[in-house]
Amino acid sequence: TAILRRPGVSDASTMRVLVTRPQADAEETARLLAAQHIESVIAPLIEISDIPGATVDLAAVQAILVTSANGARALARVTRERTLPVFTVGEASARAAAECGFTDVTSADGDVGALAALVRRKLDPLAGALVHVTGSAVAGNLGGELASFQYLIRHSQIYRSHTVDTLPEAAREALVEQSIDAVLFYSPRTAHHFADLVVKAGLQANCQSVIACCLSAAVAAAAAALPFAEIRVAENPDQASLFDVLTTKK
């Protein structure tokens, strides 16, 4: 099955994709898609906000652990420290940390398990505490995995993530008009919430002409609540692999 097209559209350069990430992340994804001549419809399902007065204690810390680009940006807003080693879960969070001025950034290029494995290879549990910066929703059990190997973990919640109450108008219009070819999903939470909002809007049938491109099998399982034309899973849990499954004809 080839990538589906909008009615009357046959030029591959006119592919149109729904991006449901938080605004800052979605804008970056849209920029990268545009470089591949793919049009984006941005409809964030999660909104990010700082926690007033949030701080991060970096005393006797050997490194900071970051599991999202939003975490990297929030970290930069609550501390002037830029030289402590920062270990990130993947390329997007590493890029965000570097763009915020952190000078020693290492990416695990994977998921939370890959980040835990990287920390175990690179850092001595006796060399100091690790700060894990988080939002109000935490995916995985990074702290638990590392604590079992005697690492001292400090969790610092420095931002909030809120799911929107209704399907964004841009997403609703795209589904009603059947003007998108695919939707990108980066997390089970977002895929679950998208499914809930689509059902609430009564637009399940409008997904039958749309391909769901998912960052992992867990994300795909959440997306399976809707009758998508096809569900594709990235070979690796990174954006480059997600783009690969988006653009590959089957």
Side-chain angles (χ1 to χ4, degrees):
T1 303
I3 290 284
L4 302 180
R5 301 287 171 219
R6 287 168 284 155
V9 175
S10 60
D11 185 349
S13 68
T14 60
M15 187 189 298
R16 197 164 189 245
V17 177
L18 182 65
V19 182
T20 60
R21 310 183 78 190
Q23 188 69 34
D25 296 321
E27 290 173 357
E28 171 67 6
T29 294
R31 182 185 67 79
L32 296 172
L33 288 171
Q36 298 190 37
H37 308 289
I38 298 171
E39 183 181 349
S40 297
V41 177
I42 294 178
L45 298 186
I46 294 176
E47 297 175 346
I48 304 299
S49 63
D50 290 336
I51 296 176
T55 60
V56 56
D57 179 8
L58 299 178
V61 166
Q62 63 169 315
I64 305 169
L65 310 182
V66 174
T67 48
S68 72
N70 288 306
R73 289 187 283 262
L75 175 64
R77 292 192 291 270
V78 299
T79 181
R80 295 181 180 178
E81 169 60 47
R82 294 293 186 271
T83 59
L84 271 174
V86 174
F87 289 80
T88 72
V89 71
E91 43 137 358
S93 45
R95 183 169 57 251
E99 289 172 352
C100 289
F102 293 97
T103 59
D104 185 354
V105 180
T106 304
S107 171
D109 295 325
D111 55 14
V112 167
L115 179 55
L118 175 66
V119 168
R120 289 177 58 199
R121 290 196 305 272
K122 298 290 187 179
L123 301 178
D124 181 349
L126 301 180
L130 303 175
V131 166
H132 177 203
V133 296
T134 73
S136 52
V138 181
N141 185 27
L142 179 62
E145 286 192 44
L146 291 174
S148 67
F149 290 94
Q150 310 307 310
Y151 289 91
L152 176 61
I153 309 296
R154 295 181 193 162
H155 297 283
S156 293
Q157 186 181 124
I158 56 176
Y159 70 96
R160 295 191 184 101
S161 57
H162 316 264
T163 53
V164 299
D165 294 329
T166 58
L167 193 66
E169 185 61 21
R172 191 194 69 80
E173 287 185 1
L175 288 173
V176 169
E177 297 170 1
Q178 295 187 304
S179 61
I180 53 170
D181 302 294
V183 57
L184 302 181
F185 291 121
Y186 290 74
S187 71
R189 181 189 186 196
T190 302
H192 274 301
H193 194 54
F194 181 79
D196 288 345
L197 295 180
V198 167
V199 169
K200 183 179 178 181
L203 294 173
Q204 303 97 301
N206 296 65
C207 295
Q208 293 175 356
S209 61
V210 178
I211 295 171
C213 297
C214 303
L215 198 65
S216 69
V219 178
L226 293 174
F228 287 109
E230 185 180 346
I231 295 178
R232 299 180 180 180
V233 181
E235 183 175 351
N236 299 304
D238 56 53
Q239 187 161 252
S241 295
L242 189 63
F243 285 6
D244 284 344
V245 296
L246 168 66
T247 56
T248 299
K249 293 183 179 181
K250 295 188 175 181

